[in-house]
Amino acid sequence: MTVNELKEKVLNDATISKEEALFLVDADLEEVASAADEIRKKNNGNNFDMCAIMSVKGGRCSENCKFCAQSSCSNADIPEYKVRDTDYVVADAKKRNKTGITHYCQVSSGRKVNSKELSQICENVRGIVSETNLIPCVSLGLLSKEDLEELKKAGVKRVHNNIETSPKYFGKLCTTHTTDEKIKVMKLVHEAGLELCSGGIFGVGESWEDRIDMALALREVNPESVPINMLKPIKGTPLESYPYLSEDELRRIIAIFKFILPHSEIRFAAGRDIIEDAGISFFRSGSNATISGDMLTVKGVSLEKDLENIRALGYEIAE
């Protein structure tokens, strides 16, 4: 088995096995990253996708995800506010319009939004559609089929719901909901005719086998977008003392995910602001998408810096 053989297998639209993916963990990083970039070029061309997120509802959450500042097990100081109104959301969206951002995602804290909150978010979506060229996305927790149909009718095109980690390891990070509940929502997203955005968080104590199992589980639901987030430890959370992953480990994660999910956009998200080059090497290792600007509770990379770096790499960005 060689990296080149596995690359050719993927380029010929065959899938790699768990054993083959694990082989890539110990293979030469530059060879793996270069091969992942070839896979990206074949399946995604030079298109680069940038999205922006905004916290549409903030505050303490009922769920106990150990990595999140808003979770029930966190003591972090966080702002609390009800669902933002349409004027607020549209004004924020207009600032991102025609700047290279393509997707605009409203993200809510909580297990799921209630019917009143969903109605307001749908109204916000209609405002985004009428006032901007942005593609509306949402991240609203464990949505139902009826919720998804209502969101689609309002103009939502993509729904985010992270798998976070492997099904086996998930219980170490969260006990108030399960991977099965998340996967049920993911399947409903595609059944509703919407695009799916699902990835996870790394550096939370998971093994390489967990990372591979996570990617293989995602392959079963075939998300259009796969966010890769590095844990940025937040004071007051159970994981506040965890160390950052190395750049090399992150690059390898992204490259291997591209081997397993060759047609998905691998979206390098949280953690880029502590990388010296803001992710340039990662965008040569299989990633062709990112979240620009700040995340929900951690800092990100500015849009101006992203545009400068991404154009220098020869990517085409939506205007």
Side-chain angles (χ1 to χ4, degrees):
M1 190 187 307
T2 67
V3 172
N4 190 60
E5 286 171 350
L6 294 182
K7 178 193 72 176
E8 291 301 322
K9 186 174 182 178
V10 175
L11 289 174
N12 286 307
D13 289 327
T15 58
I16 66 170
S17 66
K18 179 176 178 178
E19 180 187 12
E20 289 169 330
L22 286 168
F23 166 80
L24 296 172
V25 173
D26 297 313
D28 178 78
L29 174 58
E30 297 307 322
E31 191 177 357
V32 174
S34 177
D37 200 42
E38 286 189 53
I39 294 168
R40 184 270 304 169
K41 288 175 183 174
K42 177 183 183 272
N43 292 313
N44 308 107
N46 281 327
N47 294 321
F48 196 96
D49 184 80
M50 290 199 296
C51 70
I53 63 177
M54 74 91 60
S55 180
V56 73
K57 174 191 172 186
R60 195 64 65 202
C61 176
S62 63
E63 308 306 284
N64 65 357
C65 305
K66 291 182 179 180
F67 49 83
C68 181
Q70 299 187 103
S71 78
S72 61
C73 62
S74 167
N75 294 317
D77 185 22
I78 56 166
E80 298 199 17
Y81 43 88
K82 295 179 180 179
V83 173
R84 305 287 197 185
D85 64 26
T86 302
D87 287 345
Y88 183 98
V89 174
V90 170
D92 184 71
K94 282 182 172 181
K95 295 176 186 175
R96 325 294 183 107
N97 196 35
K98 297 183 179 179
T99 61
I101 298 292
T102 53
H103 294 78
Y104 182 82
C105 187
Q106 297 179 76
V107 184
S108 171
S109 69
R111 181 180 177 89
K112 78 181 295 287
V113 292
N114 61 38
S115 58
K116 183 178 178 182
E117 292 167 336
L118 186 74
S119 294
Q120 178 61 61
I121 290 167
C122 285
E123 188 61 33
N124 297 348
V125 170
R126 285 187 280 270
I128 293 166
V129 171
S130 65
E131 298 289 335
T132 76
N133 296 317
L134 298 169
I135 300 169
C137 311
V138 294
S139 181
L140 307 175
L142 300 177
L143 296 165
S144 68
K145 178 182 177 182
E146 292 72 26
D147 294 335
L148 292 166
E149 289 172 349
E150 190 173 342
L151 287 161
K152 182 181 180 183
K153 195 178 298 183
V156 167
K157 301 296 183 185
R158 180 177 287 180
V159 175
H160 171 266
N161 192 313
N162 271 351
I163 196 172
E164 302 300 5
T165 187
S166 72
K168 180 180 177 182
Y169 194 69
F170 186 80
K172 301 284 187 181
L173 298 179
C174 177
T175 59
T176 49
H177 59 273
T178 66
T179 300
D180 285 344
E181 287 176 286
K182 285 178 168 286
I183 289 176
K184 179 182 177 182
V185 176
M186 294 177 208
K187 290 179 177 178
L188 288 173
V189 168
H190 276 157
E191 287 173 14
L194 295 163
E195 293 184 357
L196 173 66
C197 179
S198 183
I201 190 162
F202 299 84
V204 291
E206 80 286 356
S207 66
W208 266 108
E209 185 174 10
D210 287 317
R211 294 166 182 171
I212 302 299
D213 285 344
M214 171 187 164
L216 294 173
L218 284 173
R219 190 164 73 185
E220 294 298 312
V221 292
N222 193 28
E224 282 76 12
S225 170
V226 179
I228 303 291
N229 299 288
M230 179 178 73
L231 175 71
K232 296 185 67 181
I234 299 170
K235 187 176 181 181
T237 65
L239 306 186
E240 65 179 9
S241 62
Y242 277 46
Y244 288 131
L245 293 179
S246 70
E247 290 188 30
D248 283 355
E249 192 163 8
L250 269 174
R251 281 182 69 208
R252 192 181 294 275
I253 289 167
I254 283 170
I256 293 176
F257 265 62
K258 192 62 182 177
F259 270 83
I260 297 173
L261 297 150
H263 296 283
S264 301
E265 295 171 345
I266 308 299
R267 189 177 302 276
F268 184 24
R272 283 196 305 123
D273 60 303
I274 67 161
I275 304 297
E276 188 173 344
D277 65 6
I280 289 176
S281 60
F282 296 79
F283 301 138
R284 293 181 176 134
S285 304
S287 173
N288 72 313
T290 193
I291 298 174
S292 192
D294 290 342
M295 311 293 139
L296 291 181
T297 56
V298 295
K299 285 189 68 61
V301 178
S302 73
L303 176 61
E304 294 75 19
K305 183 67 173 174
D306 275 338
L307 289 171
E308 178 186 336
N309 288 340
I310 294 163
R311 284 180 174 135
L313 291 171
Y315 279 104
E316 296 174 7
I317 302 174
E319 297 294 345

